[in-house]
Amino acid sequence: MEAVVSTQSTWKQWYQRRVHARLMVKKGRKAAEKYRMQYHEEMPVYQLAKSLGETAQDFTQSGGVRPMGVSLLLAGYDHNGPQLYQVDPSGAYWQWKASAVGKKASTARTFLEKRYDENIELEDAIGIAILTLKEGFQGDMNENNIEIAVVRKSRTEEDFEFTTLSPPEVKDYLDQVS
């Protein structure tokens, strides 16, 4: 009987985190759209992280409302170039060069700190990201159960682009790392 309760409790926690993540994404999209309509330009990544942090923090102060149970890694680009921010359930937000959230995040951050270099090539950065994932990954890692996204200079313009790699591209990177 205890095992069933614990399984239901774990499922409920997982489900609530998923709902919180969707809510944060929805709030972030809404804030970015509102900014774009008001200022006729894209919202700087810093301001989006701040807005999401304020949303998460509001949930820690309101009576009868459950605090957010999800940390976010927010990647994007603006007039300052590529940006990476972490937003915690407390509402705190930090800018990073490389980071990880979730189970074994401190181990993953240590792994990244040892290997990070300001002048790293994109191919090497993707390889390090995959190795970092492998450190804490349970089960078989393949192109169907991970996603890789990159913020890089556009190939056609002097701007940046956010792209998600296709499963065949992810498989190629996984094969290179193995």
Side-chain angles (χ1 to χ4, degrees), residues 116-162:
Y116 181 78
D117 176 16
E118 190 72 34
N119 300 315
I120 193 168
E121 294 291 325
L122 179 62
E123 307 295 319
D124 296 332
I126 292 171
I128 290 171
I130 291 171
L131 290 173
T132 305
L133 276 174
K134 280 188 173 186
E135 285 287 309
F137 202 85
Q138 296 174 349
D140 178 44
M141 185 187 300
N142 61 54
E143 69 276 7
N144 298 314
N145 59 12
I146 67 167
E147 285 185 343
I148 298 174
V150 296
V151 178
R152 61 178 160 205
K153 279 235 186 238
S154 174
R155 294 179 182 132
T156 58
E157 302 173 22
E158 285 298 315
D159 204 1
F160 291 92
E161 63 184 4
F162 183 91

Side-chain angles (χ1 to χ4, degrees), residues 75-87:
Y77 61 91
D78 56 24
H79 60 281
N80 292 322
Q83 308 283 316
L84 178 66
Y85 282 88
Q86 177 180 340
V87 181

